[in-house]
Amino acid sequence: MIRKPEWMKIKIEGSHNFTEVENLVDGFELNTVCKEANCPNRMKCYESRTATFMILGDVCTRNCRYCNVATGRGREVDKDEPINVAKVVKKLGLKYAVITSVDRDDLADEGANQFKNVIKEIRKNGEGTLVEVLIPDMHANHDLLDIVFDEKPDVLNHNVETVRSIFKQMRPQGNLDNSFEVLRYAKEKGLVTKTGFMVGLGETNEEVHEMLDKLNELEVDIVTIGQYLMPTLKHANLDRYVTPDEFEEFKRYGQSIGIKHVESGPLVRSSYNAGNVFKKLKDKK
């Protein structure tokens, strides 16, 4: 077992806001990736009265070796979920909402219509809330992607997760070229695009640079890079803890080649601090 360095140690403390967010989410029978994926930033996000909503159930049809979300047969789609997500977004006063999901390869539309309906319901509130969606690859099927893209989410996020040399090992049911196509097509459709990947799984720093080169080629607007953490001993082994200096170098490199904004750090996660990251991107224009 590799000893956790000081920069990875997180102070855990509860609060009234944490309890309120958890009670709201539970009360409307919603899921958050914060909880299901055991995100290290969960306390901080809930304390800030925000969360990343995970739609389409809490069971994923894919079995990725780094992820803590349960794998199995997908649950029945909750028709009330879009309305309930919108209600909680309004109750929390969110100006920037992040919506993700489990993979639903078992559904004919792979969950595309549920994303569409969530976006519509949030915007019905008339609060001007910005919406970022973090979608599965949907097998890069343009007809399915169009269902989501035509709703014009403020940010279209799809994670590439890791570098090519270890991608298939970590995501046996995934396809990196499909992920690249999702990002390419989203940009073709005029959307602000975002992606993220983990380090510490056995990749080299040169491979990180190569991934950043590819994402720049795809004109991705925002890239997030964070440290992989083992959810349990049954998951993929941690290769190493990447140092803060290396994360800073990844950020410098990515932005030096033309990527508009790179968020890179040990505790960075794709949806963490997403509203502020989007604001930073807009401020640069």
Side-chain angles (χ1 to χ4, degrees), residues 21-140:
V21 172
E22 189 147 85
N23 287 344
L24 266 176
V25 169
D26 290 347
F28 282 91
E29 298 183 336
L30 300 177
N31 299 300
T32 67
V33 74
C34 324
K35 183 176 182 179
E36 301 304 327
N38 197 24
C39 178
N41 299 312
R42 179 183 169 203
M43 289 281 185
K44 193 169 182 180
C45 287
Y46 279 20
E47 166 61 21
S48 302
R49 291 175 58 80
T50 188
T52 297
F53 299 95
M54 189 172 79
I55 62 174
L56 294 162
D58 59 356
V59 178
C60 188
T61 56
R62 297 190 189 181
N63 186 19
C64 299
R65 294 192 57 227
Y66 51 79
C67 183
N68 198 49
V69 174
T71 301
R73 185 176 179 179
R75 301 193 191 282
E76 184 177 349
V77 175
D78 180 0
K79 303 300 183 186
D80 294 328
E81 187 174 56
I83 294 172
N84 288 335
V85 169
K87 285 179 179 177
V88 174
V89 166
K90 188 170 185 176
K91 285 178 180 292
L92 290 173
L94 297 184
K95 298 301 181 188
Y96 193 98
V98 184
I99 314 299
T100 189
S101 78
V102 289
D103 280 285
R104 292 301 305 264
D105 296 332
D106 58 317
L107 300 175
D109 72 348
E110 299 196 34
N113 282 292
Q114 194 79 334
F115 272 102
K116 177 188 76 172
N117 293 334
V118 170
I119 296 169
K120 281 179 175 290
E121 289 297 333
I122 290 174
R123 288 178 172 163
K124 272 184 188 178
N125 283 334
E127 303 289 333
T129 302
L130 302 177
V131 183
E132 174 179 320
V133 291
L134 171 52
I135 66 170
D137 62 38
M138 299 182 186
H139 292 88

Side-chain angles (χ1 to χ4, degrees), residues 18 69 72 79 83 94 97 105 123 142 177-178 184 193 202 210 238-239 243 247 276 278:
F18 177 89
V69 174
K79 303 300 183 186
I83 294 172
L94 297 184
D105 296 332
R123 288 178 172 163
H142 287 196
D177 290 319
N178 280 349
R184 187 208 66 78
T193 54
E210 289 171 356
L238 171 69
D239 179 71
T243 68
F247 277 109
N276 286 336
F278 181 69

Side-chain angles (χ1 to χ4, degrees), residues 241-260:
Y241 285 107
V242 177
T243 68
D245 285 346
E246 288 174 288
F247 277 109
E248 185 59 31
E249 191 280 327
F250 296 155
K251 178 174 183 173
R252 284 197 303 270
Y253 179 79
Q255 294 185 170
S256 74
I257 61 173
I259 298 174
K260 292 174 184 175

